[in-house]
């Protein structure tokens, strides 16, 4: 089972986003990443390979969820206490945010009219640098469903040499009203994101971006 948590945290006048996820059996790690203004400022990774060996799937899922939640809470507590060794201590004031935006990524959905059919999601993505329009290859792109603090990973790929990638997955049959379909791209410290609000049953072909 793959699951995760996402929390926005305010410390003074700085805004952070804390994301913790289980990478799944093929990569048995619980990863926590802290973002500030789109930049990765802290990472924590804990292996559970030995812990998972021989465990029953139901018991393992419960214990992993407890460990993941604990790690997520611990990072948030250290962040709020000022003891987390983040890579950037500067305040996220407008000048910093503007500088970050010049280096951020432009993530585009190239099939807005055909992304959803018969419960299947096909997201055709193009990733470019925001100002130069240069395609960004070999970047991580992942899609997930988010509702409040719950996060359900759906698919993960890497962009090709032309900055293109396709994410394919089946949408869960009972999507919670107000959930968001989130697509994120990461290339080193650079970051791009698309976020779409979903109805309980996506009946429209084009998702409505959340401003």
């Amino acid at each position: 089972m793959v699951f995760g948590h996402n929390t926005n945290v305010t410390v003074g006048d700085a805004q952070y986003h804390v994301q913790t996820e289980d990478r799944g059996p093929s990569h048995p790690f619980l990863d926590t990443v802290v973002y500030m203004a789109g930049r990765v400022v802290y990472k924590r990774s804990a292996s559970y390979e030995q812990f998972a060996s021989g465990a029953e799937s139901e018991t393992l899922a419960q214990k992993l969820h407890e460990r993941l939640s604990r790690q997520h809470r611990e990072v948030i507590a250290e962040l709020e206490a000022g003891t987390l060794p983040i890579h950037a201590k500067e305040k996220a004031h407008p000048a910093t945010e503007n500088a970050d935006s010049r280096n951020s990524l432009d993530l585009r959905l190239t099939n807005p009219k055909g992304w959803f059919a018969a419960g299947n999601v096909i997201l055709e993505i193009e990733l470019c640098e925001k100002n130069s329009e240069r395609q960004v290859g070999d970047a991580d792109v992942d899609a997930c469903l988010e509702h409040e603090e719950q996060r359900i990973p759906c698919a993960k790929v890497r962009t090709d040499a032309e900055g293109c990638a396709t994410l394919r997955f089946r949408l869960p049959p009972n999507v919670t009203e107000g959930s968001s379909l989130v697509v994120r791209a990461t290339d080193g410290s650079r970051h791009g994101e698309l976020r779409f609000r979903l109805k309980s049953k996506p009946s429209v072909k084009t998702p409505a971006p959340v401003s």
Side-chain angles (χ1 to χ4, degrees):
M1 178 180 294
V2 182
F3 42 78
H5 292 305
N6 281 269
T7 304
N8 293 321
V9 180
T10 301
V11 181
D13 57 358
Q15 299 286 332
Y16 298 93
H17 181 77
V18 182
Q19 174 181 304
T20 303
E21 65 178 347
D22 168 23
R23 300 290 297 276
S26 62
H27 188 75
F29 285 85
L30 302 179
D31 291 339
T32 300
V33 182
V34 180
Y35 298 91
M36 185 179 76
R39 301 193 317 278
V40 175
V41 296
Y42 179 80
K43 289 183 179 180
R44 179 175 298 180
S45 187
S47 172
Y48 63 84
E49 184 174 9
Q50 293 183 348
F51 168 77
S53 179
E56 296 183 1
S57 59
E58 186 173 340
T59 302
L60 176 63
Q62 180 180 353
K63 290 188 176 297
L64 282 180
H65 192 277
E66 292 172 356
R67 287 193 174 200
L68 183 143
S69 298
R70 183 170 65 248
Q71 180 170 310
H72 189 72
R73 292 194 303 268
E74 287 174 352
V75 170
I76 291 175
E78 292 175 32
L79 180 62
E80 293 177 332
T83 59
L84 197 70
I86 59 177
H87 304 316
K89 293 287 188 179
E90 66 270 17
K91 298 178 181 178
H93 51 71
T96 301
E97 291 176 349
N98 289 338
D100 291 337
S101 67
R102 289 195 296 269
N103 296 320
S104 63
L105 303 176
D106 189 6
L107 187 60
R108 303 167 183 170
L109 181 64
T110 61
N111 64 327
K113 295 183 179 180
W115 70 280
F116 178 79
N120 295 307
V121 175
I122 302 176
L123 300 170
E124 295 179 1
I125 297 299
E126 182 181 32
L127 185 64
C128 301
E129 293 180 345
K130 206 156 214 178
N131 289 337
S132 70
E133 294 292 313
R134 185 179 69 85
Q135 290 107 347
V136 180
D138 202 32
D140 289 317
V141 181
D142 67 90
C144 68
L145 288 173
E146 290 184 0
H147 181 69
E148 296 179 347
E149 293 189 1
Q150 299 299 313
R151 181 178 185 272
I152 304 174
C154 297
K156 187 169 185 177
V157 296
R158 294 183 76 85
T159 56
D160 61 20
E162 274 111 35
C164 296
T166 301
L167 297 124
R168 302 174 186 268
F169 56 93
R170 186 162 184 83
L171 200 66
N174 298 317
V175 177
T176 306
E177 185 75 27
S179 296
S180 294
L181 173 60
V182 183
V183 184
R184 292 191 179 93
T186 305
D187 180 49
S189 62
R190 300 186 298 177
H191 175 74
E193 181 178 291
L194 288 174
R195 183 179 292 266
F196 306 108
R197 186 76 68 185
L198 297 179
K199 296 182 179 179
S200 56
K201 292 183 179 181
S203 58
V204 294
K205 292 184 178 180
T206 305
V210 178
S211 57

